[in-house]
Amino acid sequence: MMRIVGIKRLHGSCGVEVATLIEEQKQVSVIAPLADFWADPTGHLSRPPAGRTLALADVELVPPVLPGARVFCIGLNYAEHAAEGSFRDQDLPPYPTLFARWTQSLSVDGAEVPVPSNEEGLDWEGEVVAWVGTPLVDATPEAAAQAVIGYSTFNDLTARKAQKLTTQWSLGKNGDRSGPIGPMVPAAEVGDLRDGRRLRTRVNGGTVQDANTSQMIYGVGETLSLISHTLSLRPGDLLATGTPSEVGYARTPPQLLQPGDTVEVEGLGVLRNIVVGNHCRSVGTAV
């Protein structure tokens, strides 16, 4: 399985580059600078990496995300999750509930995610993210689905108290480093999510979510098509496809992630992060 990551060299000033991850050899092979990659992602993925092979120890892994990319998120995309939250005892809406993340909230596998000072903990939301690979304007669902260049495992870690202060979710969905995203796997290797891919979330080794992407209400193609009729989508934009049921706040009693907890999402590989206290929080730098 090809795995695409973003890197920063620890020695040098190359900026962010896109590379293939060769995990078993603890290496990365450079494909192209970030902007060059997203100017022609299909072309770059169709040929072998042209750059140097570097030791993982000599680079920092970062999300391969353009600073101007948009991160769209489906809030309620599994029926049982909708029932445990905003749409209990109500009919599902005809269109997906959408909200946005800022790219500065994204992090990677292994990142430490701090609990904000006014929260009792963080909630897990294991998901899969779709990466847009070609421009989309007024696209059909079929064309939008074909425009997806790859998928990643994602954890939409949520500050529930902040999320529920108002009807708008942005504050609770953009905590520092609260959007860890795994390596991108080319769409050709994944297929249609509606065909079914197991998605599991574990906390300290115990399973807390176990579902299948075939249970999604709104498909990737139809959601990207909907968005494209209002604003133009560009290569490098992302769509988080929503989380299944059994999030922490809906449990009896509620269960939230505490400093020291390890949370893992398994979908396209395993995305593992450690929750830390607010004293570990620091202002990040945009990619």
Side-chain angles (χ1 to χ4, degrees):
M1 181 181 292
M2 180 183 288
R3 305 176 73 199
I4 308 301
V5 296
I7 63 167
K8 286 183 179 179
R9 303 191 197 198
L10 298 181
H11 311 288
S13 55
C14 295
V16 176
E17 298 170 291
V18 178
T20 58
L21 176 64
I22 313 168
E23 198 163 28
E24 62 276 9
Q25 298 177 26
K26 298 183 179 180
Q27 295 177 326
V28 293
S29 291
V30 177
I31 297 174
L34 181 67
D36 291 352
F37 176 85
W38 286 113
D40 182 21
T42 301
H44 282 296
L45 293 182
S46 69
R47 51 186 180 264
R52 293 178 56 192
T53 295
L54 307 169
L56 265 178
D58 293 331
V59 302
E60 174 191 359
L61 295 182
V62 298
V65 179
L66 290 166
R70 279 77 57 86
V71 186
F72 301 94
C73 305
I74 304 178
L76 300 164
N77 201 17
Y78 290 76
E80 291 184 2
H81 177 51
E84 70 184 359
S86 304
F87 288 92
R88 184 181 291 114
D89 302 323
Q90 298 182 45
D91 292 335
L92 292 172
Y95 301 104
T97 298
L98 295 171
F99 62 92
R101 269 187 175 270
W102 295 297
T103 57
Q104 290 89 340
S105 73
L106 301 180
S107 56
V108 294
D109 176 63
E112 296 181 339
V113 184
V115 178
S117 61
N118 58 348
E119 296 285 338
E120 296 176 359
L122 289 173
D123 206 346
W124 57 82
E125 292 197 10
E127 308 191 17
V128 175
V129 158
W131 299 76
V132 176
T134 57
L136 291 173
V137 179
D138 295 338
T140 64
E142 293 76 19
Q146 291 174 3
V148 173
I149 194 72
Y151 296 94
S152 293
T153 306
F154 180 62
N155 198 345
D156 184 29
L157 291 166
T158 302
R160 293 294 184 200
K161 186 179 292 185
Q163 180 192 8
K164 295 180 178 297
L165 289 176
T166 71
T167 58
Q168 302 301 310
W169 297 355
S170 296
L171 185 61
K173 294 290 189 173
N174 280 283
D176 292 340
R177 305 195 296 276
S178 66
I181 188 167
M184 182 177 75
V185 178
E189 298 188 26
V190 177
D192 188 340
L193 292 184
R194 280 278 181 81
D195 290 338
R197 178 167 290 274
R198 191 175 186 184
L199 182 62
R200 287 185 290 181
T201 306
R202 294 184 290 269
V203 175
N204 300 327
T207 299
V208 292
Q209 289 180 298
D210 193 346
N212 194 289
T213 58
S214 64
Q215 300 165 340
M216 292 193 306
I217 302 166
Y218 311 101
V220 171
E222 62 191 276
T223 304
L224 290 175
S225 171
L226 173 69
I227 296 169
S228 79
H229 281 76
T230 298
L231 57 92
S232 302
L233 288 164
R234 304 178 300 228
D237 288 340
L238 301 94
L239 175 68
T241 58
T243 196
S245 62
E246 300 296 333
V247 294
Y249 87 95
R251 292 168 174 253
T252 305
Q255 178 185 350
L256 296 175
L257 297 164
Q258 302 299 315
D261 285 344
T262 297
V263 58
E264 299 171 300
V265 181
E266 184 176 3
L268 298 163
V270 177
L271 176 66
R272 182 180 295 105
N273 296 91
I274 297 174
V275 176
V276 295
N278 187 61
H279 65 282
C280 297
R281 182 175 160 195
S282 61
V283 177
T285 302
V287 172

